[in-house]
Amino acid sequence: SIPGVDVQTDTNAYRFNCPYDLTVESLELFLDQHSTSGDVTVTLTNTTDSNTMITLSIAGTNLSALTTSVSNAACGGGDIITFAITATPADAQGLRAILTFRRDL
């Protein structure tokens, strides 16, 4: 398990309770096995202030990795971040999404 992360299986999302002030450095999205008929999208939202921090999509026919780096996508200690995945079909297999944070001291 990862401290501060709750899995919400009913919404296909992960909820992260920020223990510190954090800044998003990058988000990577991979399709290791093709089993989608449409796009896969990962959305990172700071639900504390209703701010969409990152949205990253990869086409279902594209198996290559997709990475985005961002600046000024920060969250404060105590904020709740929702890391949601949507896909077509909803039960897409072989999906990996990697989020990198930097702790602000």
Side-chain angles (χ1 to χ4, degrees):
S1 65
I2 304 171
V5 176
D6 302 320
V7 178
Q8 302 176 63
T9 55
D10 58 330
T11 59
N12 199 26
Y14 300 89
R15 186 176 58 215
F16 179 66
N17 302 306
C18 295
Y20 316 108
D21 292 347
L22 301 171
T23 298
V24 178
E25 290 196 323
S26 66
L27 175 62
E28 297 172 87
L29 182 57
F30 303 86
L31 277 174
D32 295 323
Q33 304 167 17
H34 174 62
S35 63
T36 63
S37 59
D39 293 348
V40 175
T41 302
V42 175
T43 303
L44 188 71
T45 304
N46 186 337
T47 57
T48 300
D49 60 13
S50 300
N51 177 36
T52 299
M53 301 172 73
I54 303 176
T55 299
L56 180 61
S57 296
I58 189 169
T61 56
N62 186 350
L63 298 181
S64 62
L66 186 64
T67 304
T68 185
S69 298
V70 296
S71 60
N72 301 321
C75 53
D79 285 357
I80 299 173
I81 304 302
T82 301
F83 185 71
I85 299 171
T86 57
T88 306
D91 59 349
Q93 299 296 311
L95 173 66
R96 288 187 293 138
I98 302 170
L99 179 65
T100 304
F101 277 111
R102 181 187 72 243
R103 180 178 176 184
D104 298 331
L105 300 176

